Amino acid sequence: MGAMGSEVEVNEEFTRDERAAMSQGFGAGKHPVDFLAHRQRRGEAGAREDFEQMLVSLVSAVTGQDAVLVRANPGDWGIDVLVGDLNGDITDWQAKYFINGFGESQKRQVKDSFKSALKYAEKEGHVIKKWVLCIPCGMDAPTLRWWQRWSREQQAETGIAIELWDESGLRRRLDLPEAATVRRVYYDPYRPPGPVDSPLVSLTHLAPAAVPWCGGEELRLGGDRYLLHDDAAETFSLDRSWVWREATADRIEPSSARVRLRQITMLRDGPASAEARRALSDQAALLSTMAGARRLPRLLGRYEDSAHGITVASELPSGPVWREVFGPGAGPLDHLTAAAVLDAAARLADSLAELHRRGHSHRKLSPDAIVMTGRAYEPVLRDAGLAAWPSRPGEGPDGYRAPEQERVRPGSPQPGTHTDLYQLAAVVHHTVTGHPPLPGGSPPIRITVRGFPSVADELLALALDADPRRRPERIGMLAAALRQGRREISQGGFP
């Protein structure tokens, strides 16, 4: 390879827009990045890999290109993070987790890594266009002079552009708006506000940042391709060891389908992240076993990465959600719409009964979790909710959370099938009356909606009891009462 005949860049020049963004104070008020976080999170053995994983995300964010982590199996061809095609031209980011400084030993490692990259490039037939050294430390003056001389010589000899992302360069890039998610995930030391026993903390409690799954973005999972409809909902575990994402998407390949994507990404190893991954894996197995029975979601794809997590794709029939068809609105429903609500709720209870028969509960019902399909508005669950997940304090949707979901106490009834009765009754009550159920007990629906069928009203009131032990034993009992109420309305029993 011939010489390029130009000065090496010690730190890559930022674009005009990047400099403008930083000058406007995007980093203002942020906690300083501490690269020791990788060691604190993963220990001595895992710190380098954690740093490399961060670098993959950072490179993708600031370059707009797909970066790939190259794992040693047994050799990594002198590449840690790759952008490009190993059958053609590549950029090679070499990650060195030199957290304690840069001395003679580190110089030798850098030179050996560069030689290794050159050797494998020649052997395997790819071309290194740029080689970037990434280190979470700075250099003293003599060491910096060595680096500038050595990198200039190597560039002149090989024609490869050589750059340095040291601690200052890394921090500047992490301060860019497009890298906000990377900074938050790897270096935010604060726990966001929220109940101390809540397993998930919504992104609405976090500093504003870009969501990793954005509407219009294409995802590649295994050999399949998905196009996201909207930005993903994203939540972090309280211990920051894993992050949950879910979104609606269209599968583009291998065949078209509307899907619901749910993902657990492990940020660090530990009991909490392992339990979350296992729960989503168990839910995927449940969906596979159910095979779409009784309008329950059908599993379309399951994608596991031993290092990072699991993504599950389930079929999502097209149609508006319950809220768009029935409400709840600002006031009570007319008798025809009320009859349709009772009929739809009874059919949905049949789906939940199938889930209960298999030993699971949904525990995440709301007007937004029910899709109304076809011209007849057949109710279908959008996803499997919290089926196969262990009970957690604070789980469930706001406004429809059962009392036992607020605080899970030893010796008290745990969230389960009786939770689904409460949530389904809460959706019906809110939809028919225009008012959500009251925590201490709600008045009968017929007080608000004159002539509402008493059999349905009484079973709905029982299902909304704050004590799960006083609710109906089976959701089939509620379904039967809802159907009886629907027949009474149809026969003219509702003025």
Side-chain angles (χ1 to χ4, degrees), residues 66-85:
D66 291 333
V68 177
L69 179 64
V70 180
R71 297 187 180 278
N73 187 31
D76 57 12
W77 293 6
I79 305 167
D80 288 333
V81 177
L82 165 73
V83 168
D85 185 346

Side-chain angles (χ1 to χ4, degrees), residues 250-266:
D250 283 327
R251 187 173 68 182
I252 304 170
E253 290 180 357
S255 60
S256 61
R258 181 70 53 85
V259 303
R260 189 71 177 168
L261 295 174
R262 317 182 94 202
Q263 182 188 78
I264 288 292
T265 299
M266 301 173 69

Side-chain angles (χ1 to χ4, degrees), residues 144-272:
L144 181 59
R145 183 169 63 180
W146 166 84
W147 163 260
Q148 292 172 335
R149 182 178 63 253
W150 176 85
S151 55
R152 188 178 297 114
E153 290 171 352
Q154 298 307 310
Q155 178 171 287
E157 181 179 339
T158 65
I160 298 173
I162 299 177
E163 294 175 0
L164 173 66
W165 289 14
D166 61 0
E167 61 175 337
S168 298
L170 288 169
R171 287 194 177 104
R172 284 197 297 272
R173 288 170 176 86
L174 286 163
D175 261 345
L176 294 171
E178 54 266 42
T181 296
V182 184
R183 180 186 179 114
R184 183 187 70 240
V185 169
Y186 285 92
Y187 302 112
D188 183 358
Y190 301 114
R191 288 184 175 178
V196 295
D197 54 0
S198 175
L200 296 177
V201 181
S202 171
L203 271 186
T204 56
H205 298 305
L206 296 170
V211 177
W213 284 2
C214 301
E217 183 177 84
E218 183 178 304
L219 296 179
R220 293 179 180 268
L221 300 171
D224 301 343
R225 294 167 56 213
Y226 295 90
L227 182 66
L228 292 171
H229 285 198
D230 301 299
D231 292 352
E234 183 181 59
T235 49
F236 283 84
S237 64
L238 190 62
D239 67 354
R240 312 284 290 183
S241 66
W242 54 274
V243 60
W244 165 270
R245 297 188 182 96
E246 57 181 307
T248 299
D250 283 327
R251 187 173 68 182
I252 304 170
E253 290 180 357
S255 60
S256 61
R258 181 70 53 85
V259 303
R260 189 71 177 168
L261 295 174
R262 317 182 94 202
Q263 182 188 78
I264 288 292
T265 299
M266 301 173 69
L267 304 180
R268 69 174 186 273
D269 294 332

Side-chain angles (χ1 to χ4, degrees), residues 35 51 96-99 134-138 165-167 170:
F35 293 108
F51 180 66
K96 295 294 185 185
Y97 189 64
F98 297 156
I99 197 64
C134 302
I135 56 174
C137 66
W165 289 14
D166 61 0
E167 61 175 337
L170 288 169

